[in-house]
Amino acid sequence: MNTHSIATINRAIGALGRDGAPGTLSIDLDALRENYRYLCARTAPVPVAAVVKANAYGLDVARVAPVLRDAGCRDFFVAHVAEAHRLRQFVDGARIFVLNGLQPGAEEGCADSGIVPVLNSLEQARNWAQTAAMRGHSLPAVLQVDTGMSRLGLPPEEASALAADGALRDRLDLLFLMSHLASGDASGDVQNSDQLAAMRQASALFPGLPLCFANSGGVFLGADFHGALARSGIALYGGMPTDAIDNPMKPVVRLDVRVIQTRTVPAGTHVGYGGAHVTTEETRLATIAAGYADGLPRSLGHRGAAYFDGVRLPIVGRVSMDSITLDIGALPAGTLRLGSLVELIGPHQTLEAIAADAGTISYEILTSLGDRYHRDYR
């Protein structure tokens, strides 16, 4: 076992002794900072905004946002206005944008806090303009147009109607025209060029309005997609942003989970709920202290694995709410014991690899990692 592995395990076991957590989720804030600076270098001179919705993709916006602010980030995106209000205390002075816009009744509080909504429909635009009229001055906003994802944003006919409504436009201090790439991570997908063409058509309706178009994947599609403000989410947290090159981002998270019990069972033993796995020979097993309640999907059963010192330990049987069973026959007997740590995400298994085994994406794994782990911010 190498020195790094021993140090990691000993540190994590020490943390467990303090709080009884099932494992350690390590978050490398230096890597987060370096990822932000790397993305800024890719888009320069265009600045990069940080997407910190869903509690900074599950990593705690209170710890993540100040690091990005100190690295030079001045623009932050969240999904909901409640997230924006919480974020304000950590990035005072920065601009905060709400991707989902505002629900009726949230306009006054948003305006009072200087939060900028992304307007996704004529209805949202009119509600925001009405708030501006009551205050006697225009209010800042971002206008999102749908360029082919059919999720959020004004369709072409609504964009045209808003562009032609001078009274409505005068009450909106539009900062950016925005859209979202549906296939930005797939560098060769024709949808990217189709959306770029649609974005240019929409831009013609709002001459001179700066564009906010590139997401993490779009950063790697070239300057045509960068606009005046790029915005990155998954790439900041170490996720793979594009299929064009090997992942250039530094890993931000590592997950080590502790062993609860080891045992040796004979051939013909049923393992887990439903007896879904049956051993074909005498088998050594280890049960670890995390499951689907901790962001390790049930679909990892029979497909996923953990690692110990680089050795793959297959998951056998179904993933339970709080536990997973591993086949540890590839390790010498006695290697694992109560409290030992096995790697679920780390140098031997990337975020994308565990997501692929689960039949999902890195975003879902990352945002699902629960609050029962001891968190080690470094």
Side-chain angles (χ1 to χ4, degrees), residues 145-224:
V145 291
D146 178 17
T147 56
M149 192 173 183
S150 303
R151 184 180 67 172
L152 286 174
L154 279 71
E157 61 274 15
E158 286 195 4
S160 296
L162 192 152
D165 189 336
L168 180 57
R169 284 281 307 275
D170 287 345
R171 293 173 184 156
L172 303 176
D173 177 16
L174 295 180
L175 305 181
F176 297 99
L177 183 67
M178 183 179 128
S179 194
H180 191 70
L181 289 162
S183 303
D185 56 341
S187 58
D189 197 309
V190 69
Q191 189 174 18
N192 293 319
S193 56
D194 289 346
Q195 285 193 258
L196 179 60
M199 188 63 164
R200 285 171 172 163
Q201 289 180 341
S203 181
L205 297 171
F206 303 91
L209 186 58
L211 304 185
C212 180
F213 194 28
N215 53 9
S216 287
V219 165
F220 296 84
L221 292 177
D224 286 345

